[in-house]
Amino acid sequence: MRAVLCVAVLGLAGCVGPSGPVIGDWRGAEQSIEGYRERVTELIIDGRPGDGSGVYHLISSVPASGIVSDPRDIRWSDRWQKRLLHDPSGAPYTVYHLDHAPPSHLADYVLLSTGALLPVVDPAHPDTRPESLRIALQPLSRTAYGYGRP
């Protein structure tokens, strides 16, 4: 009986937290590069804080499209790589590159000092103008419901 109880408790524990180490969970509204309207995007980067690569999970949907299973809705996982680049003044910044990102998404995200991730076309020259920052994915609190769960 105790063994059954322990297994049940462990099973429930898996429902309330991430299944492994998570570097971050970001959500926001991005503009589709295919010309569709904004879509809701969640990006989860699995790994430990010092890792240079790992697995990512990308979940994206076009809100209120009226179609139950919209072909633009995406659930995608693959590998990520962390790259350290330098701006013209020599200051370092971090870019998360998503290997084999879906064609409708950009593959590179610059980690901003606010903790947000900004999708960029050219990671060597990120556009951080205020109008570009509106599409940055915002970090979720580690205590948020569903944090790190694809």
Side-chain angles (χ1 to χ4, degrees), residues 54-69:
V55 173
Y56 72 86
H57 308 282
L58 182 71
I59 304 161
S60 182
S61 64
V62 178
S65 62
I67 301 171
V68 174
S69 181

Side-chain angles (χ1 to χ4, degrees), residues 14-80:
C15 295
V16 297
S19 59
V22 176
I23 289 177
D25 187 338
W26 293 266
R27 294 183 189 163
E30 289 183 282
Q31 183 68 38
S32 171
I33 62 175
E34 296 173 328
Y36 298 123
R37 64 182 180 264
E38 284 188 347
R39 62 176 175 243
V40 176
T41 300
E42 178 177 10
L43 177 58
I44 301 163
I45 297 180
D46 289 341
R48 299 189 192 293
D51 288 352
S53 65
V55 173
Y56 72 86
H57 308 282
L58 182 71
I59 304 161
S60 182
S61 64
V62 178
S65 62
I67 301 171
V68 174
S69 181
D70 193 307
R72 295 170 286 180
D73 291 353
I74 295 172
R75 292 184 72 83
W76 194 274
S77 291
D78 209 316
R79 306 276 308 159
W80 62 267

Side-chain angles (χ1 to χ4, degrees), residues 96-145:
Y96 285 102
H97 174 75
L98 309 181
D99 293 344
H100 308 107
S104 59
H105 285 71
L106 294 171
D108 294 296
Y109 290 79
V110 171
L111 180 62
L112 302 174
S113 60
T114 62
L117 285 180
L118 177 65
V120 293
V121 174
D122 180 1
H125 302 94
D127 180 3
T128 56
R129 293 174 298 160
E131 55 269 21
S132 297
L133 296 178
R134 70 174 184 74
I135 62 167
L137 302 179
Q138 300 303 314
L140 259 66
S141 162
R142 290 193 179 273
T143 60
Y145 176 77

